[in-house]
Amino acid sequence: MLYRKGFILATLPRRGCFWLLSSLLCLLLFFSTLVGATLMPASRSMAAVNDANGDGKSDAITLYNYGGGSTSAWEFQTTTTTANSVGLTFAPSIWWTGASTNVGTTVAGDFNGDGMGDFVSLQNSGGTNSTFLFWRSTGTSYAQPVQSFSSSNWASTMTQLVAGDFDGDGRDELIAFYNYGGTNTGVLFFDTNTDGTFKYPSMVFSSPNWDWSKTTLLALKDGGKSKVVAAYNYGGTTMGLLIFTTNTDGTMNYPQLAFISNFWAWTRTQFLAGDVNVDGKEDVIGFYNYGGTNTGGFVFTSTGTSLNYPTMVFSSSLWDTTRSTFSPGDFNGDGKGDAAIVYDYGNSTTGVWLFMSNGSALTNPVMVYSTPLWNNGAANWIMPY
């Protein structure tokens, strides 16, 4: 085995009476704000990520499929308001419209280093024919997508992507975890050209004992360079967080185990990255589904080389994570890592909630945008870097 789990360090997430009381208090705050909403993007320490318009605040991007061969890229820009306690709402606008495409994995990043958030989509042309399309932000719209890489021997359905500045050159790159069959997994590094397109990938890690289907990937920014965190499902309720540090040539070092628990179900967790405590190192945020509409939010602060034991920052008995799309970001431009959740209420009704960072933890969520005319099932939310 590549990783052994012989020592179990953590017992979260389990709850007692204190957590039940905190959940009830949180719910009072939670539902006292059920009124208008907005959208979400991404954030890295010391900079707003997914900042498509270059205003220093994170935006949210989605590819929306209208059917009949029509797709639009919507940009949700943060604006100020007096209608809620965080003073923010979102103003959506269409930045691109084109033919509907077979969109697969889509990730955001500043791939040309101009300070504005772009995005890349891995599209399947049938079988193992795959193409990376690059949407470059102009600051007010997305330019027509260009092909940045294609292969007749790449199965998009066997690929997980994560974006970050892994070599510290000021431009984001891609790392792909690729399933060669069974538990045979390779990790490939796509370096970027100055125009944001990709160079031919190089293999930077491989293992015959890594199950690609049991992995969730994050990129954590630490100073001027990103590293990869893999949340790995060992089976049942045993989950580990492993850190792959990277070198200036894009190669990866052997992963180090940063956290493991035999009371944490990987299948019940959605993970984000954000610098919650503003120390220049991005942390891991996990939202855990205890069943039904019972949800807890945890923060694993980063030490730079590992992760601290998680602390609970949110609890609710009326939040269904299966209806939620989570994303980190610095939405008010204060340098702190926040979290946004797009919540699907059903019947084309969608709301967006913000968890703002106070510099040490995430505060209770506030709804900042809502609409009765958005079918979240047709929206492909573009994950931040």
Side-chain angles (χ1 to χ4, degrees), residues 104-381:
T105 302
T106 308
V107 293
D110 182 8
F111 298 106
N112 58 2
D114 65 355
M116 292 181 289
D118 317 303
F119 68 91
V120 170
S121 174
L122 175 57
Q123 303 197 343
N124 177 258
S125 305
T128 58
N129 295 293
S130 296
T131 300
F132 284 101
L133 291 182
F134 170 57
W135 274 264
R136 177 182 60 84
S137 172
T138 68
T140 56
S141 65
Y142 289 111
Q144 286 298 314
V146 297
Q147 180 176 299
S148 58
F149 174 79
S150 66
S151 173
S152 60
N153 291 297
W154 190 289
S156 61
T157 55
M158 298 292 189
T159 309
Q160 286 198 53
L161 298 176
V162 62
D165 187 2
F166 300 110
D167 59 8
D169 67 353
R171 298 191 303 271
D172 285 314
E173 299 86 31
L174 285 180
I175 283 180
F177 276 56
Y178 191 86
N179 177 22
Y180 288 99
T183 59
N184 292 292
T185 296
V187 180
L188 297 104
F189 172 70
F190 288 83
D191 199 2
T192 48
N193 300 302
T194 54
D195 62 357
T197 59
F198 298 110
K199 300 177 182 178
Y200 196 83
S202 57
M203 182 83 75
V204 293
F205 176 80
S206 65
S207 172
N209 294 303
W210 187 290
D211 190 338
W212 166 90
S213 68
K214 295 182 177 181
T215 309
T216 303
L217 300 177
L218 298 172
L220 295 189
K221 186 77 171 180
D222 184 356
K225 199 151 64 72
S226 301
K227 54 196 170 191
V228 175
V229 172
Y232 194 84
N233 177 17
Y234 288 104
T237 58
T238 301
M239 187 275 297
L241 296 175
L242 300 110
I243 296 177
F244 294 80
T245 56
T246 56
N247 304 304
T248 54
D249 60 356
T251 56
M252 296 178 69
N253 299 309
Y254 196 83
Q256 302 297 313
L257 187 65
F259 171 83
I260 192 165
S261 173
N262 60 354
F263 291 101
W264 194 297
W266 174 85
T267 55
R268 292 177 173 268
T269 312
Q270 294 195 47
F271 289 105
L272 322 173
D275 187 6
V276 175
N277 58 0
V278 205
D279 63 353
K281 299 182 287 289
E282 281 198 320
D283 313 304
V284 174
I285 304 164
F287 285 88
Y288 191 90
N289 177 17
Y290 290 99
T293 58
N294 294 291
T295 296
F298 297 84
V299 173
F300 302 75
T301 55
S302 172
T303 67
T305 57
S306 190
L307 298 169
N308 290 314
Y309 193 84
T311 56
M312 191 177 200
V313 295
F314 172 74
S315 180
S316 172
S317 61
L318 293 170
W319 193 291
D320 186 351
T321 58
T322 65
R323 292 179 172 268
S324 305
T325 303
F326 296 84
S327 183
D330 179 9
F331 298 100
N332 58 1
D334 65 354
K336 303 182 183 75
D338 313 310
I341 300 177
V342 179
Y343 196 92
D344 182 4
Y345 291 96
N347 298 317
S348 296
T349 300
T350 298
V352 184
W353 295 77
L354 283 183
F355 292 79
M356 306 302 292
S357 170
N358 60 15
S360 59
L362 296 176
T363 58
N364 289 313
V366 175
M367 182 181 260
V368 293
Y369 177 85
S370 65
T371 174
L373 300 171
W374 187 278
N375 177 8
N376 210 42
N380 178 13
W381 294 102

Side-chain angles (χ1 to χ4, degrees), residues 65-76:
N65 182 5
Y66 291 97
S70 178
T71 297
S72 291
W74 284 81
E75 190 256 2
F76 288 74

Side-chain angles (χ1 to χ4, degrees), residues 38 55 57-58 77-91 331-333 354 368:
T38 261
D55 66 353
K57 294 179 289 187
S58 295
Q77 180 182 150
T78 53
T79 61
T80 58
T81 182
T82 59
N84 57 55
S85 60
V86 297
L88 294 175
T89 187
F90 284 89
F331 298 100
N332 58 1
L354 283 183
V368 293

Side-chain angles (χ1 to χ4, degrees), residues 30-111:
F30 179 70
F31 281 98
S32 67
T33 54
L34 273 173
V35 279
T38 261
L39 193 37
M40 63 175 210
S43 148
R44 301 190 286 194
S45 52
M46 302 174 291
V49 208
N50 221 12
D51 179 11
N53 59 3
D55 66 353
K57 294 179 289 187
S58 295
D59 309 310
I61 311 298
T62 184
L63 285 173
Y64 194 93
N65 182 5
Y66 291 97
S70 178
T71 297
S72 291
W74 284 81
E75 190 256 2
F76 288 74
Q77 180 182 150
T78 53
T79 61
T80 58
T81 182
T82 59
N84 57 55
S85 60
V86 297
L88 294 175
T89 187
F90 284 89
S93 60
I94 294 176
W95 273 34
W96 175 85
T97 296
S100 180
T101 50
N102 186 11
V103 176
T105 302
T106 308
V107 293
D110 182 8
F111 298 106

